[in-house]
Amino acid sequence: MPNVKATWKEMGPGGVVYEAGSSVEYLTGGWRTLRPLRDTEQCTHCMICWVYCPDSSIIVKDSKVVAFDYDHCKGCGICAKVCPVKIKKPHSHTGEMGSVIQMVAETELG
C-alpha cells in the first residue's frame, strides 16, 4: 500500500524497476477467454506452435510437445492458427475437423 501522505521528495521516481523480475512471477492465464486444446494422438510434434507462442506457454520435453502452461497462456490462438497438421479424424476434445490445436471457450471446460 503506497504512503499517500508522503511528500514528492519522499517518493521514488515512477516507472523505475529496482529489482530484476520475471513474467514467471505473474500468472496471466486468468485473462484468457479461449483455451488451446491439442489432440495428442494426432500431433506430429512439428514444434511450429512452440516457435510462434508469444508467451512461451508450450511445454516441451525430449523434443515433444507435452502440455500447455495454462498459468501463463493468454489464449491468443496463435498456436492454433500456425498449426500445419490437418487432422484425419475428429479432434479428440472438440469433435471438429481442422488442426491438431483448436481453441475452445473457457466456459465449455467447466
Side-chain angles (χ1 to χ4, degrees):
M1 180 80 147
N3 179 0
V4 293
K5 294 183 180 184
T7 68
W8 69 271
K9 291 181 180 180
E10 297 169 318
M11 301 295 286
V16 177
V17 177
Y18 292 103
E19 297 176 16
S22 169
S23 62
V24 171
E25 297 173 24
Y26 304 101
L27 304 181
T28 54
W31 303 353
R32 186 179 54 246
T33 57
L34 296 174
R35 172 184 291 235
L37 290 176
R38 182 176 61 95
D39 187 320
T40 57
E41 184 181 310
Q42 298 186 75
C43 181
T44 64
H45 304 281
C46 67
M47 308 301 279
I48 299 294
C49 57
W50 176 79
V51 169
Y52 280 91
C53 179
D55 298 312
S56 299
S57 293
I58 299 176
I59 301 168
V60 174
K61 185 175 182 182
D62 298 326
S63 300
K64 294 191 182 284
V65 175
V66 294
F68 289 100
D69 173 5
Y70 289 122
D71 285 340
H72 297 95
C73 169
K74 295 178 190 74
C76 68
I78 291 173
C79 57
K81 288 280 187 197
V82 300
C83 179
V85 181
K86 302 304 175 204
I87 55 180
K88 307 272 191 260
K89 59 184 181 178
H91 195 279
S92 61
H93 298 284
T94 67
E96 309 260 329
M97 294 302 287
S99 296
V100 165
I101 301 173
Q102 296 185 9
M103 302 300 288
V104 299
E106 284 286 329
T107 55
E108 292 178 31
L109 299 170

